[in-house]
Amino acid sequence: MSRRTKKPLAKRGPGGDRPKGGRSAAKRGAAASGPVRGNRGEDGRPISARPQREPRGERPATKRPAAERPASDRPQSARPSRPPARFGASSAARPPRAAHPEAAVEPEKAAKPDAPLPTKVETVTVTADENGMRVDRFLEARFPGLSFSHIQRIVRKGELRVNGKRADSKDRLEEGQSVRIPPLKLDTPKPPGHLSEAEQKTLQTLRDMTLFEDADVLVLNKPAGLAVQGGSGTTRHIDQMLEVLRDSKGQKPRLVHRIDKETAGCLLVAKTRFAATALTGSFRHRSARKIYWALVAGVPKPKQGRISTYLAKDESEEDSIMRVAKHGDDGASHAVTYYAVVETSGQKLAWVSLKPVTGRTHQLRAHMAHIGHAIVGDPKYFNIENWQLPGGLQNRLHLLARRIVIPHPRGGVIDVSAPLPPHMLQSWNLLGLEHDRFDPIEHAPEE
Protein backbone atom coordinates (compact mmCIF):
# COMPACT_ATOMS: atom_id res chain seq x y z
CA MET A 1 0.00 0.00 0.00
CA SER A 2 1.47 3.28 -1.10
CA ARG A 3 2.01 5.89 1.50
CA ARG A 4 0.40 9.28 1.05
CA THR A 5 2.50 12.32 1.80
CA LYS A 6 0.61 15.20 3.38
CA LYS A 7 1.42 18.42 1.56
CA PRO A 8 1.58 21.66 3.51
CA LEU A 9 -1.43 23.90 3.12
CA ALA A 10 -1.03 26.93 0.91
CA LYS A 11 -1.07 30.30 2.55
CA ARG A 12 -4.32 32.23 2.65
CA GLY A 13 -4.76 34.92 0.05
CA PRO A 14 -5.96 38.43 0.62
CA GLY A 15 -9.58 37.26 0.47
CA GLY A 16 -9.02 35.00 3.49
CA ASP A 17 -9.85 31.75 1.59
CA ARG A 18 -7.44 28.90 1.04
CA PRO A 19 -6.72 28.11 -2.58
CA LYS A 20 -8.01 24.77 -3.77
CA GLY A 21 -5.41 22.42 -5.08
CA GLY A 22 -6.03 19.40 -7.25
CA ARG A 23 -7.51 21.23 -10.23
CA SER A 24 -6.85 19.67 -13.62
CA ALA A 25 -4.29 21.24 -15.91
CA ALA A 26 -6.96 21.91 -18.47
CA LYS A 27 -8.97 23.95 -15.95
CA ARG A 28 -5.87 25.86 -14.86
CA GLY A 29 -5.10 26.61 -18.48
CA ALA A 30 -8.60 27.81 -19.14
CA ALA A 31 -8.43 30.03 -16.08
CA ALA A 32 -5.20 31.61 -17.26
CA SER A 33 -6.63 32.55 -20.66
CA GLY A 34 -9.92 34.04 -19.37
CA PRO A 35 -10.97 35.85 -16.21
CA VAL A 36 -8.69 34.85 -13.36
CA ARG A 37 -10.55 32.29 -11.22
CA GLY A 38 -7.75 29.84 -10.28
CA ASN A 39 -5.38 29.64 -7.34
CA ARG A 40 -3.13 32.58 -8.24
CA GLY A 41 -3.55 35.80 -10.15
CA GLU A 42 -1.49 37.19 -12.94
CA ASP A 43 0.94 38.71 -10.43
CA GLY A 44 1.50 35.28 -8.87
CA ARG A 45 -0.20 36.11 -5.58
CA PRO A 46 -2.76 33.57 -4.29
CA ILE A 47 -6.38 34.67 -4.51
CA SER A 48 -9.70 33.25 -3.40
CA ALA A 49 -10.90 30.13 -5.13
CA ARG A 50 -14.35 31.59 -5.30
CA PRO A 51 -15.38 33.55 -8.41
CA GLN A 52 -14.60 37.22 -7.90
CA ARG A 53 -17.35 39.75 -8.56
CA GLU A 54 -16.46 42.18 -11.30
CA PRO A 55 -16.33 45.84 -10.37
CA ARG A 56 -19.35 47.83 -11.53
CA GLY A 57 -17.34 49.95 -13.92
CA GLU A 58 -15.83 46.95 -15.73
CA ARG A 59 -19.10 45.14 -16.47
CA PRO A 60 -20.27 45.17 -20.07
CA ALA A 61 -22.97 47.76 -20.70
CA THR A 62 -25.39 45.26 -22.23
CA LYS A 63 -25.73 41.53 -22.32
CA ARG A 64 -26.69 39.61 -25.37
CA PRO A 65 -30.18 38.17 -25.11
CA ALA A 66 -30.28 34.43 -24.62
CA ALA A 67 -31.96 33.97 -27.99
CA GLU A 68 -28.96 35.59 -29.80
CA ARG A 69 -26.24 33.59 -28.11
CA PRO A 70 -24.59 30.74 -30.00
CA ALA A 71 -25.71 27.33 -28.89
CA SER A 72 -22.28 26.70 -27.35
CA ASP A 73 -22.72 29.74 -25.08
CA ARG A 74 -26.07 28.69 -23.67
CA PRO A 75 -26.15 26.73 -20.44
CA GLN A 76 -27.27 23.15 -20.85
CA SER A 77 -29.64 23.40 -17.94
CA ALA A 78 -30.91 26.06 -15.58
CA ARG A 79 -30.29 23.69 -12.72
CA PRO A 80 -26.91 22.47 -11.44
CA SER A 81 -25.95 18.97 -12.47
CA ARG A 82 -25.94 17.93 -8.82
CA PRO A 83 -28.39 19.10 -6.15
CA PRO A 84 -26.97 21.07 -3.25
CA ALA A 85 -25.39 18.88 -0.60
CA ARG A 86 -28.07 19.73 1.96
CA PHE A 87 -30.71 17.78 0.03
CA GLY A 88 -28.59 14.65 0.18
CA ALA A 89 -30.20 13.01 -2.83
CA SER A 90 -29.62 12.89 -6.52
CA SER A 91 -32.09 14.38 -8.97
CA ALA A 92 -32.91 10.90 -10.20
CA ALA A 93 -34.20 9.99 -6.75
CA ARG A 94 -36.30 13.13 -6.49
CA PRO A 95 -40.01 12.49 -7.20
CA PRO A 96 -41.51 14.35 -10.15
CA ARG A 97 -43.23 17.68 -9.41
CA ALA A 98 -46.73 16.33 -10.05
CA ALA A 99 -46.21 13.69 -7.36
CA HIS A 100 -46.41 16.35 -4.64
CA PRO A 101 -50.08 16.53 -3.61
CA GLU A 102 -49.85 20.08 -2.36
CA ALA A 103 -48.58 21.29 -5.73
CA ALA A 104 -51.27 19.45 -7.66
CA VAL A 105 -54.32 20.72 -5.76
CA GLU A 106 -54.72 24.08 -7.48
CA PRO A 107 -54.16 22.81 -11.04
CA GLU A 108 -56.84 20.17 -10.46
CA LYS A 109 -59.31 22.81 -9.32
CA ALA A 110 -58.52 25.01 -12.27
CA ALA A 111 -58.77 22.15 -14.71
CA LYS A 112 -62.17 21.00 -13.43
CA PRO A 113 -64.70 21.81 -16.14
CA ASP A 114 -67.65 23.98 -15.20
CA ALA A 115 -71.07 22.36 -15.20
CA PRO A 116 -72.99 23.21 -18.37
CA LEU A 117 -75.75 25.76 -17.86
CA PRO A 118 -79.21 24.23 -18.15
CA THR A 119 -81.07 25.34 -21.27
CA LYS A 120 -84.35 23.99 -19.90
CA VAL A 121 -85.82 23.35 -16.46
CA GLU A 122 -83.79 20.79 -14.51
CA THR A 123 -84.18 19.17 -11.11
CA VAL A 124 -81.04 18.26 -9.17
CA THR A 125 -80.51 16.60 -5.81
CA VAL A 126 -78.48 18.17 -3.02
CA THR A 127 -75.42 16.03 -2.26
CA ALA A 128 -73.79 15.37 1.11
CA ASP A 129 -71.04 17.86 0.28
CA GLU A 130 -73.67 20.54 -0.38
CA ASN A 131 -75.55 19.95 2.87
CA GLY A 132 -75.97 23.22 4.79
CA MET A 133 -75.10 25.40 1.77
CA ARG A 134 -77.04 28.60 1.15
CA VAL A 135 -79.15 28.59 -2.00
CA ASP A 136 -77.13 31.35 -3.69
CA ARG A 137 -73.80 29.70 -2.78
CA PHE A 138 -75.16 26.40 -4.11
CA LEU A 139 -75.80 27.98 -7.52
CA GLU A 140 -72.44 29.74 -7.52
CA ALA A 141 -70.63 26.49 -6.77
CA ARG A 142 -72.55 24.51 -9.42
CA PHE A 143 -72.34 27.19 -12.10
CA PRO A 144 -69.19 29.33 -11.69
CA GLY A 145 -69.41 32.69 -13.44
CA LEU A 146 -73.16 33.01 -12.92
CA SER A 147 -73.77 36.64 -11.96
CA PHE A 148 -75.04 37.54 -8.50
CA SER A 149 -77.86 39.63 -9.97
CA HIS A 150 -79.04 36.71 -12.13
CA ILE A 151 -79.11 34.41 -9.09
CA GLN A 152 -81.08 36.95 -7.05
CA ARG A 153 -83.51 37.49 -9.91
CA ILE A 154 -84.49 33.84 -10.40
CA VAL A 155 -84.82 33.35 -6.63
CA ARG A 156 -86.90 36.51 -6.20
CA LYS A 157 -89.24 35.53 -9.04
CA GLY A 158 -89.75 32.05 -7.54
CA GLU A 159 -88.25 30.30 -10.58
CA LEU A 160 -85.96 28.31 -8.30
CA ARG A 161 -87.78 25.95 -5.94
CA VAL A 162 -86.68 23.57 -3.20
CA ASN A 163 -88.89 20.49 -2.79
CA GLY A 164 -91.53 22.30 -4.81
CA LYS A 165 -91.59 25.43 -2.62
CA ARG A 166 -90.27 28.95 -3.12
CA ALA A 167 -86.90 29.57 -1.49
CA ASP A 168 -84.93 32.56 -0.31
CA SER A 169 -81.32 33.03 -1.39
CA LYS A 170 -80.23 32.76 2.28
CA ASP A 171 -82.08 29.47 2.95
CA ARG A 172 -79.87 26.50 3.83
CA LEU A 173 -80.16 23.31 1.80
CA GLU A 174 -80.25 19.77 3.19
CA GLU A 175 -78.89 16.60 1.66
CA GLY A 176 -81.45 14.81 -0.50
CA GLN A 177 -83.59 17.87 -1.25
CA SER A 178 -84.60 18.40 -4.86
CA VAL A 179 -83.84 21.79 -6.39
CA ARG A 180 -85.71 22.99 -9.46
CA ILE A 181 -83.35 25.09 -11.59
CA PRO A 182 -84.72 27.21 -14.45
CA PRO A 183 -82.78 27.90 -17.67
CA LEU A 184 -79.70 29.94 -16.80
CA LYS A 185 -77.75 32.53 -18.73
CA LEU A 186 -74.04 33.10 -18.24
CA ASP A 187 -72.97 36.70 -18.66
CA THR A 188 -70.30 36.88 -21.32
CA PRO A 189 -67.18 38.62 -20.03
CA LYS A 190 -66.11 41.56 -22.13
CA PRO A 191 -62.46 41.95 -23.09
CA PRO A 192 -60.81 44.62 -20.96
CA GLY A 193 -60.59 47.96 -22.70
CA HIS A 194 -63.58 47.24 -24.96
CA LEU A 195 -66.27 49.34 -23.27
CA SER A 196 -68.92 51.30 -25.06
CA GLU A 197 -69.20 55.04 -24.55
CA ALA A 198 -72.08 54.56 -22.11
CA GLU A 199 -70.11 51.95 -20.17
CA GLN A 200 -67.09 54.24 -19.98
CA LYS A 201 -69.32 56.93 -18.46
CA THR A 202 -70.63 54.40 -15.94
CA LEU A 203 -67.06 53.41 -15.08
CA GLN A 204 -66.13 57.05 -14.52
CA THR A 205 -69.21 57.53 -12.33
CA LEU A 206 -68.12 54.62 -10.14
CA ARG A 207 -64.60 56.04 -9.95
CA ASP A 208 -66.01 59.38 -8.82
CA MET A 209 -68.05 57.59 -6.13
CA THR A 210 -65.09 55.57 -4.80
CA LEU A 211 -64.02 56.28 -1.21
CA PHE A 212 -61.66 53.31 -0.86
CA GLU A 213 -60.37 50.59 -3.18
CA ASP A 214 -57.77 47.82 -3.21
CA ALA A 215 -57.48 44.40 -4.85
CA ASP A 216 -60.27 42.90 -2.70
CA VAL A 217 -62.57 45.66 -1.49
CA LEU A 218 -64.39 48.68 -2.90
CA VAL A 219 -66.26 51.25 -0.77
CA LEU A 220 -68.59 53.55 -2.70
CA ASN A 221 -70.21 56.82 -1.66
CA LYS A 222 -73.69 56.03 -2.94
CA PRO A 223 -75.70 59.14 -3.76
CA ALA A 224 -79.25 59.52 -2.47
CA GLY A 225 -81.84 58.43 -5.04
CA LEU A 226 -79.72 55.67 -6.63
CA ALA A 227 -80.95 52.14 -5.86
CA VAL A 228 -78.52 49.44 -4.79
CA GLN A 229 -80.37 46.60 -6.56
CA GLY A 230 -83.01 46.37 -9.25
CA GLY A 231 -86.72 46.13 -8.70
CA SER A 232 -89.98 46.98 -10.39
CA GLY A 233 -89.53 50.16 -12.38
CA THR A 234 -85.83 50.44 -11.53
CA THR A 235 -83.58 50.55 -14.59
CA ARG A 236 -80.37 51.99 -13.12
CA HIS A 237 -78.82 50.66 -9.92
CA ILE A 238 -75.42 49.94 -8.38
CA ASP A 239 -75.52 46.19 -9.04
CA GLN A 240 -76.10 46.81 -12.74
CA MET A 241 -73.38 49.49 -12.85
CA LEU A 242 -70.84 47.03 -11.41
CA GLU A 243 -71.04 45.06 -14.67
CA VAL A 244 -68.41 47.39 -16.14
CA LEU A 245 -65.95 46.12 -13.49
CA ARG A 246 -66.32 42.47 -14.54
CA ASP A 247 -62.82 40.95 -14.87
CA SER A 248 -61.35 38.78 -17.64
CA LYS A 249 -62.58 35.62 -15.83
CA GLY A 250 -66.14 36.88 -15.91
CA GLN A 251 -66.35 37.68 -12.18
CA LYS A 252 -68.19 40.84 -11.18
CA PRO A 253 -67.78 42.68 -7.86
CA ARG A 254 -70.45 41.63 -5.36
CA LEU A 255 -72.60 43.67 -3.01
CA VAL A 256 -71.88 42.77 0.60
CA HIS A 257 -74.77 44.71 2.17
CA ARG A 258 -77.49 47.15 1.08
CA ILE A 259 -78.72 50.59 2.02
CA ASP A 260 -82.03 52.17 1.07
CA LYS A 261 -82.40 53.95 -2.26
CA GLU A 262 -82.83 57.39 -0.63
CA THR A 263 -80.04 56.82 1.91
CA ALA A 264 -76.64 58.20 0.92
CA GLY A 265 -73.18 57.09 2.03
CA CYS A 266 -70.87 54.12 2.48
CA LEU A 267 -71.65 51.00 0.47
CA LEU A 268 -69.30 48.02 0.75
CA VAL A 269 -68.51 45.92 -2.34
CA ALA A 270 -66.33 42.79 -2.58
CA LYS A 271 -64.17 42.53 -5.71
CA THR A 272 -63.30 38.84 -5.21
CA ARG A 273 -65.14 35.72 -4.08
CA PHE A 274 -62.68 35.39 -1.18
CA ALA A 275 -63.43 38.93 0.04
CA ALA A 276 -67.20 38.43 -0.33
CA THR A 277 -67.11 35.37 1.96
CA ALA A 278 -64.96 37.12 4.58
CA LEU A 279 -66.93 40.39 4.63
CA THR A 280 -70.31 38.65 4.70
CA GLY A 281 -69.05 36.63 7.68
CA SER A 282 -68.09 39.86 9.46
CA PHE A 283 -71.64 41.17 9.07
CA ARG A 284 -73.09 37.84 10.19
CA HIS A 285 -70.91 37.80 13.33
CA ARG A 286 -71.57 41.52 13.94
CA SER A 287 -67.91 42.48 13.83
CA ALA A 288 -68.77 45.26 11.36
CA ARG A 289 -69.49 48.68 12.84
CA LYS A 290 -71.82 51.06 10.99
CA ILE A 291 -72.62 54.64 11.98
CA TYR A 292 -75.38 56.76 10.45
CA TRP A 293 -76.20 60.45 10.71
CA ALA A 294 -79.80 61.68 10.59
CA LEU A 295 -81.78 64.87 11.00
CA VAL A 296 -84.90 64.13 13.06
CA ALA A 297 -87.99 66.00 14.17
CA GLY A 298 -87.78 67.22 17.76
CA VAL A 299 -85.09 66.38 20.32
CA PRO A 300 -85.04 62.80 21.69
CA LYS A 301 -85.07 62.42 25.48
CA PRO A 302 -82.89 61.10 26.92
CA LYS A 303 -80.26 62.40 24.53
CA GLN A 304 -78.56 59.01 24.44
CA GLY A 305 -80.30 55.68 24.52
CA ARG A 306 -80.99 52.21 23.18
CA ILE A 307 -84.00 51.19 21.11
CA SER A 308 -84.92 47.50 21.23
CA THR A 309 -88.04 46.20 19.46
CA TYR A 310 -89.27 43.45 17.18
CA LEU A 311 -89.92 44.44 13.57
CA ALA A 312 -92.14 42.69 11.04
CA LYS A 313 -92.93 43.52 7.43
CA ASP A 314 -96.43 44.53 6.35
CA GLU A 315 -96.82 44.12 2.60
CA SER A 316 -99.52 45.50 0.35
CA GLU A 317 -99.97 45.65 -3.41
CA GLU A 318 -98.56 49.15 -3.54
CA ASP A 319 -95.87 49.17 -0.87
CA SER A 320 -94.29 47.43 2.10
CA ILE A 321 -93.48 48.91 5.50
CA MET A 322 -91.84 47.70 8.70
CA ARG A 323 -93.97 47.83 11.85
CA VAL A 324 -93.08 47.35 15.49
CA ALA A 325 -94.27 43.85 16.42
CA LYS A 326 -94.39 41.58 19.46
CA HIS A 327 -92.07 38.74 20.21
CA GLY A 328 -93.47 35.62 18.57
CA ASP A 329 -95.41 37.46 15.85
CA ASP A 330 -95.16 35.93 12.40
CA GLY A 331 -92.02 37.22 10.66
CA ALA A 332 -90.94 39.38 13.64
CA SER A 333 -87.19 39.87 14.09
CA HIS A 334 -85.37 41.49 16.99
CA ALA A 335 -83.81 44.88 16.17
CA VAL A 336 -81.46 46.97 18.33
CA THR A 337 -80.26 50.55 17.68
CA TYR A 338 -78.12 52.91 19.78
CA TYR A 339 -78.63 56.65 19.29
CA ALA A 340 -77.10 59.90 20.56
CA VAL A 341 -77.99 63.55 19.95
CA VAL A 342 -74.97 65.36 18.52
CA GLU A 343 -76.42 68.87 18.15
CA THR A 344 -79.83 70.55 18.12
CA SER A 345 -81.50 73.42 16.27
CA GLY A 346 -83.77 74.76 18.96
CA GLN A 347 -86.34 72.18 19.97
CA LYS A 348 -87.61 71.54 16.47
CA LEU A 349 -84.73 69.56 14.92
CA ALA A 350 -81.85 67.41 16.11
CA TRP A 351 -78.79 65.92 14.48
CA VAL A 352 -78.65 62.33 15.70
CA SER A 353 -75.91 59.71 15.37
CA LEU A 354 -77.17 56.14 15.05
CA LYS A 355 -75.51 52.76 15.43
CA PRO A 356 -77.56 49.72 14.33
CA VAL A 357 -76.53 46.51 16.07
CA THR A 358 -78.78 44.40 13.86
CA GLY A 359 -79.44 44.96 10.16
CA ARG A 360 -83.21 44.82 9.62
CA THR A 361 -84.94 46.45 6.67
CA HIS A 362 -85.68 50.16 7.37
CA GLN A 363 -84.54 49.58 10.96
CA LEU A 364 -83.30 53.10 11.71
CA ARG A 365 -86.25 54.78 10.02
CA ALA A 366 -88.80 52.60 11.84
CA HIS A 367 -87.03 52.95 15.20
CA MET A 368 -86.81 56.75 15.10
CA ALA A 369 -90.48 56.99 14.13
CA HIS A 370 -91.29 54.56 16.97
CA ILE A 371 -89.81 56.88 19.62
CA GLY A 372 -91.61 59.89 18.10
CA HIS A 373 -88.66 61.47 16.29
CA ALA A 374 -89.01 60.45 12.65
CA ILE A 375 -86.25 61.25 10.17
CA VAL A 376 -86.88 64.43 8.18
CA GLY A 377 -88.03 63.78 4.61
CA ASP A 378 -88.95 60.12 5.18
CA PRO A 379 -91.92 59.36 2.89
CA LYS A 380 -92.77 56.08 4.65
CA TYR A 381 -92.38 56.70 8.38
CA PHE A 382 -92.75 60.45 8.92
CA ASN A 383 -96.30 60.77 10.21
CA ILE A 384 -96.12 63.67 12.71
CA GLU A 385 -99.30 65.73 12.40
CA ASN A 386 -99.19 69.48 11.82
CA TRP A 387 -95.42 69.45 11.36
CA GLN A 388 -94.00 71.79 8.75
CA LEU A 389 -90.60 71.55 7.12
CA PRO A 390 -88.49 74.63 7.94
CA GLY A 391 -87.91 76.93 5.00
CA GLY A 392 -84.90 76.17 2.83
CA LEU A 393 -84.72 72.47 3.74
CA GLN A 394 -85.35 69.96 0.97
CA ASN A 395 -88.07 67.40 1.56
CA ARG A 396 -85.72 64.45 1.05
CA LEU A 397 -84.63 61.69 3.41
CA HIS A 398 -81.96 63.12 5.73
CA LEU A 399 -80.11 59.87 6.43
CA LEU A 400 -76.41 59.20 5.73
CA ALA A 401 -74.44 55.96 6.08
CA ARG A 402 -71.64 58.00 7.61
CA ARG A 403 -68.96 55.48 8.49
CA ILE A 404 -68.13 51.79 8.22
CA VAL A 405 -65.44 49.95 10.18
CA ILE A 406 -64.88 46.28 9.33
CA PRO A 407 -61.99 43.78 9.42
CA HIS A 408 -60.17 43.56 6.09
CA PRO A 409 -60.27 40.05 4.57
CA ARG A 410 -56.45 39.91 4.49
CA GLY A 411 -55.78 41.56 7.85
CA GLY A 412 -56.07 45.02 9.30
CA VAL A 413 -59.19 47.16 9.35
CA ILE A 414 -61.20 49.08 6.74
CA ASP A 415 -62.34 52.40 8.21
CA VAL A 416 -64.10 54.73 5.75
CA SER A 417 -66.28 57.81 6.23
CA ALA A 418 -68.59 59.51 3.73
CA PRO A 419 -69.26 63.27 3.54
CA LEU A 420 -72.72 64.80 3.85
CA PRO A 421 -74.69 64.58 0.58
CA PRO A 422 -75.63 67.93 -1.02
CA HIS A 423 -79.17 68.17 0.38
CA MET A 424 -78.02 67.36 3.93
CA LEU A 425 -75.04 69.72 3.67
CA GLN A 426 -77.47 72.47 2.70
CA SER A 427 -79.59 71.72 5.76
CA TRP A 428 -76.56 71.67 8.08
CA ASN A 429 -75.45 75.06 6.77
CA LEU A 430 -78.93 76.61 7.07
CA LEU A 431 -79.37 75.32 10.63
CA GLY A 432 -75.85 76.27 11.70
CA LEU A 433 -74.86 72.70 12.61
CA GLU A 434 -71.11 72.12 12.90
CA HIS A 435 -69.88 69.15 10.89
CA ASP A 436 -66.91 68.41 13.15
CA ARG A 437 -68.72 68.32 16.48
CA PHE A 438 -67.96 65.51 18.93
CA ASP A 439 -70.01 62.43 18.05
CA PRO A 440 -70.82 60.32 21.16
CA ILE A 441 -71.60 57.26 19.05
CA GLU A 442 -68.40 57.41 17.01
CA HIS A 443 -66.26 57.78 20.12
CA ALA A 444 -68.18 55.31 22.28
CA PRO A 445 -66.19 52.23 23.39
CA GLU A 446 -67.04 48.99 21.65
CA GLU A 447 -69.05 46.47 23.67
Side-chain angles (χ1 to χ4, degrees), residues 54-170:
E54 297 172 357
R56 289 182 181 270
E58 295 178 14
R59 292 181 183 175
T62 56
K63 291 185 178 181
R64 295 167 66 185
E68 297 179 7
R69 294 180 198 153
S72 59
D73 288 353
R74 296 179 189 168
Q76 295 298 318
S77 171
R79 296 185 179 182
S81 57
R82 270 198 312 249
R86 64 179 180 272
F87 292 114
S90 67
S91 58
R94 194 182 298 166
R97 189 175 293 272
H100 293 277
E102 64 273 13
V105 170
E106 290 303 321
E108 282 183 1
K109 285 184 179 179
K112 185 178 178 181
D114 296 343
L117 294 177
T119 56
K120 58 183 181 179
V121 175
E122 292 184 1
T123 301
V124 299
T125 303
V126 179
T127 66
D129 290 339
E130 295 165 332
N131 184 51
M133 251 186 174
R134 280 175 35 160
V135 169
D136 51 1
R137 301 286 184 263
F138 169 82
L139 288 172
E140 288 178 352
R142 287 241 178 180
F143 310 105
L146 195 63
S147 72
F148 176 81
S149 57
H150 191 33
I151 292 173
Q152 296 299 317
R153 186 163 57 251
I154 63 174
V155 172
R156 187 171 60 248
K157 290 183 176 180
E159 296 176 1
L160 182 140
R161 293 179 176 266
V162 179
N163 285 351
K165 298 179 180 178
R166 292 176 70 108
D168 189 82
S169 59
K170 297 180 181 178

Side-chain angles (χ1 to χ4, degrees), residues 262-309:
E262 296 303 326
T263 302
C266 297
L267 181 68
L268 192 64
V269 178
K271 295 174 68 176
T272 61
R273 190 184 299 268
F274 164 76
T277 302
L279 295 172
T280 303
S282 294
F283 277 100
R284 186 183 306 118
H285 300 302
R286 296 182 183 174
S287 54
R289 183 184 181 201
K290 294 180 291 180
I291 296 171
Y292 289 74
W293 283 357
L295 188 67
V296 302
V299 180
K301 294 180 181 179
K303 289 192 173 182
Q304 295 185 27
R306 178 177 181 267
I307 307 169
S308 177
T309 69

